[in-house]
Amino acid sequence: MSEQNFDLVVLGGGSGGYAAALRASLLGLTVALIERDKLGGTCLHRGCIPTKALLHSAEVADVARGASKYGISASFDGVDIAGVTAYREGIVSSKFKGLEGLIKARKITVISGEGRLISPTRVQVGDDVIEGKNVVLATGSYARSLPGLEIGGRVITSEQALELDFVPKKVAILGGGVIGVEFASVWKSFGSEVTIIEALPHLVPNEEESISKQFERAFRKRGIEFSLGTRFQSVEQNDDGVVVTLEDGRQIEAELLLVAVGRGPSTQGLGFEEVGVEIDRGFVITNERLETSIPGLYAVGDIVPGLQLAHRGFQHGIFVAEEIAGLSPQIVDDVNIPKVTYSDPEVASVGLTEARAIAQYGQDRVTSYDYSLGGNGKSHIIGTTGSVKVVRVADGPVVGIHMIGARVGELIGEAQLIVNWEAYPEDVAQLVHAHPTQNEALGEAHLALAGKPLHAL
């Protein structure tokens, strides 16, 4: 058994893991990055990137169908799923090659194989032991199911959905969160009949309630069906498809059932608990500086309780590398990490919902303004509706921004700066927003909250 020594050993080469490795290498540390599959992890190969490629293909299909609205003669002749797959795989392959080149250029040692933690400073990979002055756990997540609901046959997760070589005629989706509504959006654009099953009262239930309600109206207008507030009971498979039964006795027939009920932490069988790492329901428990119950041993990304987002993993990885290097980086709370749902329409948000702001500051200390995209020229040009809602503390900073409409994900950069820098509406109101852009909607909402509305009452 051979042994190798590094300043930092990172177990897992996904978003959080490779970000930690890249930042640590810039800070002069020697780094080993252990990955059992491909660098880039779920996000690059089975999540963020390939699903957004699918969503762009879906957008092109919708544009082709509606081209005459814009005075363009075009026809939609169908979906070439082999062509869509080639496009998606080409994007992933290009990004993967770029990442491999970057890791190599930073002189990070990549070790292929499944790693197991055998002490707070040592990871075993096959017959080799990799030792670091510090170790970062970054083993990512997997697509969860419900107790008793087995994945197989016509019951699939997002990973199998990405690999389908056909467009299903009719599909049921269990879960109305981000993953569920994004696949619903793709399949509807591709011509499928879609029904979403969500046990909570709203689709995208973690968003501002007014945004969820607008989202539901938009999906209803697109012809996407959904059942809210009723739990899944069972599913039966047959030669023709699946029959899903809800707890109220209703049944939904479809060709496939996509299970999109969230992701679980990939921590089982990797030696964490045996070494003494505190685990709760599979998640690694850390302090606010991402240090586990064992000093000098850190965890990042989806295995840490909270938002499961690739950019949260990036931020975690950079934070931990700087923490280990003694730079004392600033903590970014989960509530101030931007979230985007890339369906049609898109949803983007950062900070507190109005309800959470009221719970934190009190009813009389919270005000908000909801600016309709109907008054925004660029939104009208591209054919979208929606809104930008800004929540502030009375005579205080903006604490939440919530948006819905086509392309609003591209507005989240300014929104997160406003919230994280604790800007007042009066601060933002004096800035100039280019015309005609959708960014103007952010400016208009802040103008209104500052008491000087322009294109608003």
Side-chain angles (χ1 to χ4, degrees):
M1 184 176 291
S2 65
E3 189 164 312
Q4 303 176 55
N5 293 277
F6 298 86
D7 294 325
L8 179 65
V9 175
V10 182
L11 180 55
S15 303
Y18 82 68
L22 288 169
R23 183 65 181 123
S25 70
L26 278 179
L27 293 169
L29 304 182
T30 58
V31 183
L33 182 57
I34 301 167
E35 173 55 49
R36 67 184 179 186
D37 191 7
K38 292 181 178 180
L39 292 177
T42 295
C43 173
L44 177 55
H45 299 284
R46 299 176 296 279
C48 322
I49 299 301
T51 56
K52 276 54 187 180
L54 273 185
L55 282 154
H56 185 63
S57 292
E59 182 183 5
V60 171
D62 288 332
V63 169
R65 284 191 187 94
S68 61
K69 176 181 176 181
Y70 304 98
I72 301 299
S73 297
S75 62
F76 175 73
D77 299 327
V79 177
D80 173 10
I81 199 66
V84 170
T85 299
Y87 162 68
R88 170 178 59 80
E89 290 179 345
I91 296 290
V92 172
S93 176
S94 175
K95 297 301 106 185
F96 178 50
K97 288 176 182 176
L99 177 59
E100 284 187 311
L102 182 58
I103 294 289
K104 184 178 180 180
R106 295 278 178 85
K107 296 180 169 51
I108 295 166
T109 300
V110 177
I111 299 170
S112 298
E114 180 155 333
R116 179 181 176 84
L117 191 69
I118 58 174
S119 85
T121 59
R122 300 161 77 223
V123 177
Q124 184 173 344
V125 184
D127 293 331
D128 298 324
V129 173
I130 318 301
E131 183 161 359
K133 295 175 184 176
N134 292 99
V135 172
V136 175
L137 308 177
T139 48
S141 61
Y142 64 93
R144 287 197 304 114
S145 185
L146 296 178
L149 176 55
E150 292 188 13
I151 304 300
R154 295 178 180 270
V155 179
I156 63 175
T157 68
S158 58
E159 295 186 13
Q160 289 88 50
L162 275 172
E163 300 298 330
L164 290 178
D165 59 1
F166 65 97
V167 177
K169 292 185 177 66
K170 190 173 184 180
V171 62
I173 298 174
L174 181 56
V178 174
I179 297 171
V181 301
E182 287 186 349
F183 273 99
S185 193
V186 168
W187 279 324
K188 184 62 183 179
S189 296
F190 283 177
S192 305
E193 293 181 42
V194 181
T195 302
I196 303 171
I197 302 155
E198 172 54 58
L200 294 174
H202 292 290
L203 297 178
V204 287
N206 292 327
E207 298 293 342
E208 167 74 34
E209 186 174 9
S210 63
I211 297 292
S212 291
K213 289 179 178 179
Q214 289 182 71
F215 187 89
E216 289 159 12
R217 287 197 294 272
F219 260 32
R220 199 175 287 116
K221 188 175 180 181
R222 289 188 64 191
I224 297 172
E225 297 183 3
F226 47 88
S227 170
L228 302 175
T230 304
R231 293 181 179 274
F232 164 89
Q233 180 172 292
S234 64
V235 60
E236 292 184 4
Q237 300 190 45
N238 55 47
D239 292 341
D240 299 320
V242 297
V243 179
V244 179
T245 303
L246 306 185
E247 285 190 346
D248 63 2
R250 282 182 295 153
Q251 291 189 324
I252 297 166
E253 296 184 5
E255 197 172 342
L256 296 170
L257 173 65
L258 170 65
V259 179
V261 293
R263 299 186 63 83
S266 295
T267 57
Q268 191 171 11
L270 299 177
F272 297 177
E273 289 182 279
E274 291 85 340
V275 170
V277 177
E278 183 182 355
I279 302 286
D280 181 18
R281 291 172 296 171
F283 290 97
V284 177
I285 303 305
T286 70
N287 62 20
E288 63 178 4
R289 306 202 70 81
L290 300 176
E291 191 172 36
T292 70
S293 54
I294 299 174
L297 179 64
Y298 294 83
V300 301
D302 286 359
I303 62 173
V304 178
L307 295 174
Q308 292 181 311
L309 298 168
H311 46 280
R312 176 180 182 253
F314 293 145
Q315 188 271 336
H316 276 187
I318 293 168
F319 180 96
V320 163
E322 294 182 350
E323 182 79 358
I324 289 168
L327 300 183
S328 300
Q330 184 173 336
I331 296 166
V332 178
D333 293 328
D334 270 14
V335 70
N336 288 338
I337 293 174
K339 308 191 297 289
V340 182
T341 302
Y342 295 90
S343 51
D344 178 18
E346 289 186 356
V347 174
S349 65
V350 60
L352 299 174
T353 63
E354 186 168 13
R356 287 185 63 186
I358 289 170
Q360 183 167 328
Y361 296 102
Q363 179 83 47
D364 59 342
R365 293 202 59 218
V366 173
T367 58
S368 67
Y369 187 81
D370 207 333
Y371 179 79
S372 170
L373 293 184
N376 177 258
K378 186 58 180 286
S379 295
H380 196 171
I381 289 166
I382 65 174
T384 190
T385 58
S387 68
V388 173
K389 181 172 184 174
V390 179
V391 181
R392 78 171 298 184
V393 176
D395 298 319
V398 173
V399 294
I401 298 177
H402 310 274
M403 303 178 284
I404 182 170
R407 305 184 189 177
V408 295
E410 303 303 322
L411 308 184
I412 200 65
E414 181 182 2
Q416 74 146 334
L417 292 179
I418 292 167
V419 171
N420 279 287
W421 285 348
E422 300 179 347
Y424 284 38
E426 293 79 7
D427 299 325
V428 181
Q430 60 188 319
L431 302 176
V432 179
H433 290 77
H435 176 77
T437 64
Q438 286 185 291
N439 275 96
E440 283 182 286
L442 271 173
E444 293 275 1
H446 285 85
L447 279 166
L449 270 182
K452 46 182 182 182
L454 183 59
H455 298 99
L457 297 175

